[in-house]
Amino acid sequence: MTPSDRRPIPEELLLLCADPVDGRLRVPAATYHRVLAGGVVVELLLDGAITVEERRITGYRPLGGQDEVAAGVLARLEDAGKRRNGFSLDRAIRQVPRRPGSAPFLARLAADGFVTVEQRRFLGLPYRRHVATRPGIGQEIAARVAATLAREAGGAGAPADGRSAADERDRQLAGLIGAGRLDRRVYPGPAGAATRRAVRLLVRELPVARAVRRAVDADSSATAG
């Protein structure tokens, strides 16, 4: 996957979390939904559509051109009006609906040739399966993110105020991988240990990743209860 192939973070999360052969999610659906919601919010942050301070969204401005999921987040912010303390990140993550879910992101990936759509039947009922056109594409994304984190850990990365937009996207993606506790799946074994450590540090550092982790933990507690 070349730099020009970079996809919006929700799409890259989908490519990371889905089995490249059968298209099925390799993580719990509830966890993926929270991580996907975080990806939508991160895209808005990186695009300058929202500003964030710690646990709150402190400003927003519609830029146009957002997909329906991101547009819904901005619409809810607009409906809430200008609150004295802003709008909480936790609430923004929780309010991303489960539908349409991955559908708009899968549609874009299919339109651009990253996945193919297969028509199948089960017990006589039709369904569609999305399969990566290149089985190793998720590994390519994971390797790119790992390389970015390794540069920063080795002191070769730029300071925060001079960090490239591409490197910041990789950091935010890594934070979401960690927030959903996907790091052991994406970076398994001893070879992935250093990357996992860097990912976990980003979960503590990045506000959206922290909000996603709180949502995932709340879901787990509710299920256990």
Side-chain angles (χ1 to χ4, degrees), residues 188-207:
T195 304
R196 292 196 302 272
R197 286 194 293 272
V199 165
R200 291 165 188 168
L201 288 173
L202 288 172
V203 176
R204 294 195 287 271
E205 175 187 340
L206 301 174

Side-chain angles (χ1 to χ4, degrees), residues 60 75-84 86-87:
Y60 66 93
R76 284 185 287 278
L77 290 173
E78 186 173 3
D79 288 343
K82 294 182 179 179
R83 296 171 179 268
R84 180 178 179 183
F87 193 91

Side-chain angles (χ1 to χ4, degrees), residues 145 149 169-179 199 202-203 206:
V145 172
L149 300 186
R169 293 182 74 83
D170 283 346
R171 281 165 38 85
Q172 294 285 346
L173 177 55
L176 294 173
I177 290 169
V199 165
L202 288 172
V203 176
L206 301 174

Side-chain angles (χ1 to χ4, degrees), residues 63-100:
L63 298 178
Q66 280 94 14
D67 60 66
E68 60 185 294
V69 183
V73 173
L74 290 175
R76 284 185 287 278
L77 290 173
E78 186 173 3
D79 288 343
K82 294 182 179 179
R83 296 171 179 268
R84 180 178 179 183
N85 295 318
F87 193 91
S88 78
L89 272 172
D90 296 62
R91 183 178 176 187
I93 298 295
R94 290 195 309 269
Q95 289 189 345
V96 172
R98 293 185 182 274
R99 292 183 180 274

Side-chain angles (χ1 to χ4, degrees), residues 135-177:
I137 193 167
Q139 293 176 334
E140 293 170 18
I141 295 169
R144 186 198 73 217
V145 172
T148 297
L149 300 186
R151 285 197 305 273
E152 294 224 342
D161 58 357
R163 186 178 291 128
S164 72
D167 282 359
E168 183 58 25
R169 293 182 74 83
D170 283 346
R171 281 165 38 85
Q172 294 285 346
L173 177 55
L176 294 173
I177 290 169

Side-chain angles (χ1 to χ4, degrees), residues 114-125:
F114 287 89
V115 301
T116 58
V117 183
E118 298 179 354
Q119 302 291 337
R120 298 294 184 98
R121 299 186 75 85
F122 179 73
L123 298 177
L125 299 175

